[in-house]
Amino acid sequence: MTLPQTTIIAFRAALVVTLVITMYLATTQQEPSVIDNLNDKVNHVLAFYVLAFLADYSAPKVRFNLSKGLAILGYGLLIEVIQYFLPYREFSLFDLAADGVGVAAYAISQPVLGRLYILRRL
């Protein structure tokens, strides 16, 4: 079974919204109090897991592969480069590594997620 077009559109909209929110949170000078309560690296892992999930289901005709994963990691690198130029942020390879862990965690869990009825596809 393939995903209905309306579901794909919803995933794409969620991906765009998530990308915008992630960029805002990564570049804003003030950190929301909810984010302060979690470890920074955990935030990166969770955010990039969700981004990988949304990117995968936004283009369901192509299975999650290296290209999709590298596109998401490229976004993480873009964030780090932007942060390098912000006086109140800093470039961090550890953040980029945490982003990679989030993408890898999604790649590992994708076969299980793909078995969920709502996410099942051919």
Side-chain angles (χ1 to χ4, degrees), residues 5-105:
Q5 189 63 29
T6 54
T7 304
I8 295 169
I9 291 169
F11 277 119
R12 289 176 182 170
L15 176 62
V16 170
V17 169
T18 305
L19 289 168
V20 170
I21 290 171
T22 302
M23 183 61 76
Y24 171 76
L25 292 173
T27 58
T28 186
Q29 192 166 2
Q30 298 176 349
E31 297 216 16
S33 60
V34 173
I35 292 176
D36 285 340
N37 294 333
L38 290 175
N39 180 298
D40 178 55
K41 301 309 175 254
V42 173
N43 289 336
H44 280 265
V45 170
L46 292 174
F48 279 78
Y49 184 96
V50 170
L51 287 171
F53 168 80
L54 292 173
D56 190 23
Y57 283 88
S58 291
K61 291 183 180 181
V62 178
R63 294 281 185 197
F64 192 78
N65 57 26
L66 188 59
S67 295
K68 283 185 180 180
L70 288 177
I72 296 300
L73 284 179
Y75 177 72
L77 179 60
L78 173 67
I79 288 172
E80 294 304 320
V81 169
I82 290 170
Q83 287 180 341
Y84 175 80
F85 294 102
L86 298 175
Y88 48 87
R89 295 288 184 160
E90 61 185 37
F91 180 94
S92 171
L93 289 176
F94 292 116
D95 287 350
L96 195 56
D99 300 345
V101 169
V103 172

